[in-house]
Amino acid sequence: MISEKQFEKEINIIIKNAIREDVGDGDYSSLACIPATAKGKAKLLVKESGIIAGVSLAEKIFHYVDENLKMETFIEDGEQVEIGDIVFYVNGSSQSILKAERLVLNAMQRMSAIATKTNQFAKILHGTNTKILDTRKTTPGIRALEKWAVKIGGGENHRFALYDMIMLKDNHIDFAGGITSAITKTKKYLAENNLDLKIIVEARNLEEIKEILKNDGVYRILIDNFNFEDTKKAVALIGDKCLTESSGGITLETAKEYADCGVNFISSGALTHSVYNMDLSLKAVHE
């Protein structure tokens, strides 16, 4: 994964671009009917049970919009929430609260859904030696938020993008002229360009796993779309030569059985591409 500094940079870019997209040159609805001097208070209300995520992000958004906005937080990222819970209050300029409202809700609803889905996998895998991983199947432009949500939900992050890990998948292998050719060319390229990147290689069958194992320098083998029996055979073949990862349509119903095959990781695109936003709302508080 990328460094903490780069991650923070990604978050800041997302916030800046999202406010540009949503506010443009002014929130005219608020400017038209709310005095600039008006002060207000709003609460983040939970309307659906799950794992809350994006509380720390909300604080960043409010501060970006108006550094004088203040949050009073009752429930932290990663905690279970139920209908009717109040996650936080935000106090300050009414115009500023309204300017930030939609971005806070959009982000937190999406992140909370991802954290909830991830947590369901994490609970199923609890007690095994297998961890749940995300993928690059994320919403364009907000990958950092979605991968952050996976961590909050108890999962682990795969590579962040194309630049922080080598992953030789079926198309790379076919275009490169085969597994050994792809690995050999990759190691040569990394050496020539002074790059220190881990190499993952995808296998489509047991014969490909055998060929991968003839090559040194592979960090992890991606056991893709294998059934349970073949996954067990693959793990036995690989032993402790490198780490193992199962992928390909693995669901909450099948995750435990794949874990019992002995793989180190299960990766699932469904963590980020197949979730429905958690229902949250930001409501004005009248005191």
Side-chain angles (χ1 to χ4, degrees), residues 165-176:
M165 185 179 284
I166 297 288
M167 193 164 178
L168 302 177
K169 296 176 70 73
D170 52 359
N171 282 338
H172 298 96
I173 290 166
D174 291 341
F175 284 141

Side-chain angles (χ1 to χ4, degrees), residues 23 41 74 104 108 165 205 218-219 227 259 262 265 283:
V23 179
K41 182 177 183 180
F74 305 106
V104 167
M108 288 195 67
M165 185 179 284
N205 52 58
V218 174
Y219 170 69
N227 60 34
F265 301 98
K283 293 294 186 182

Side-chain angles (χ1 to χ4, degrees), residues 168 179-187 201 212 215-216 218:
L168 302 177
I179 287 171
T180 298
S181 176
I183 295 172
T184 301
K185 290 174 180 177
T186 295
K187 292 195 300 189
V201 184
I212 293 168
N215 295 270
D216 294 327
V218 174

Side-chain angles (χ1 to χ4, degrees), residues 20-287:
R20 174 204 59 77
E21 176 185 60
D22 196 41
V23 179
D25 58 359
D27 172 12
Y28 293 123
S29 302
S30 299
L31 292 169
C33 65
I34 298 174
T37 56
K39 301 295 182 182
K41 182 177 183 180
K43 62 184 178 183
L44 194 287
L45 181 65
V46 176
K47 301 174 74 176
E48 185 178 351
S49 63
I51 302 297
I52 200 70
V55 179
S56 295
L57 175 68
E59 191 165 17
K60 292 177 184 292
I61 294 168
F62 285 129
H63 189 264
Y64 178 86
V65 169
D66 182 347
E67 62 183 15
N68 292 314
L69 289 177
K70 303 297 181 185
M71 270 178 57
E72 182 183 7
T73 301
F74 305 106
I75 302 174
E76 301 290 348
D77 283 324
E79 293 188 33
Q80 176 72 37
V81 292
E82 304 298 336
I83 297 171
D85 284 347
I86 296 173
V87 179
F88 61 73
Y89 286 116
V90 58
N91 295 270
S93 163
S94 297
Q95 286 189 0
S96 296
I97 292 172
L98 289 166
K99 186 184 293 186
E101 174 187 10
R102 181 43 52 196
L103 175 55
V104 167
L105 284 174
N106 285 355
M108 288 195 67
Q109 288 175 324
R110 181 74 180 166
M111 290 179 70
S112 295
I114 291 169
T116 300
K117 183 71 169 282
T118 304
N119 190 252
Q120 291 171 345
F121 273 96
K123 284 180 177 178
I124 286 171
L125 297 177
H126 181 72
T128 73
N129 293 317
T130 306
K131 296 179 180 179
I132 185 68
L133 291 172
D134 54 25
T135 69
R136 284 171 47 242
K137 296 175 183 177
T138 55
T139 307
I142 61 167
R143 178 173 292 169
L145 300 189
E146 296 188 343
K147 283 184 171 284
W148 189 1
V150 167
K151 290 285 285 185
I152 290 170
E156 297 292 332
N157 293 144
H158 211 300
R159 59 177 175 168
F160 186 82
L162 292 171
Y163 56 77
D164 62 325
M165 185 179 284
I166 297 288
M167 193 164 178
L168 302 177
K169 296 176 70 73
D170 52 359
N171 282 338
H172 298 96
I173 290 166
D174 291 341
F175 284 141
I179 287 171
T180 298
S181 176
I183 295 172
T184 301
K185 290 174 180 177
T186 295
K187 292 195 300 189
K188 183 173 184 290
Y189 177 85
L190 293 177
E192 289 175 348
N193 289 275
N194 197 30
L195 291 170
D196 182 20
L197 298 176
K198 293 173 180 175
I199 301 173
I200 297 177
V201 184
E202 178 182 283
R204 291 168 283 194
N205 52 58
L206 291 169
E207 290 306 310
E208 289 194 343
I209 284 179
K210 292 175 184 177
E211 184 175 352
I212 293 168
L213 292 172
K214 293 176 182 178
N215 295 270
D216 294 327
V218 174
Y219 170 69
R220 190 157 80 223
I221 295 178
L222 176 58
I223 306 169
D224 191 49
N225 284 300
F226 279 45
N227 60 34
F228 299 129
E229 288 306 312
D230 284 344
T231 300
K232 290 176 185 176
K233 292 176 183 177
V235 169
L237 277 172
I238 295 165
D240 60 358
K241 298 181 181 71
C242 62
L243 297 176
T244 55
E245 172 189 342
S246 278
S247 71
I250 299 174
T251 66
L252 288 168
E253 290 70 33
T254 60
K256 178 63 164 57
E257 195 162 354
Y258 274 103
D260 289 341
C261 293
V263 295
N264 301 110
F265 301 98
I266 289 171
S267 56
S268 173
L271 299 183
T272 52
H273 71 53
S274 298
V275 295
Y276 295 96
N277 287 1
M278 185 189 289
D279 195 1
L280 306 169
S281 66
L282 192 68
K283 293 294 186 182
V285 176
H286 302 286
E287 297 180 315

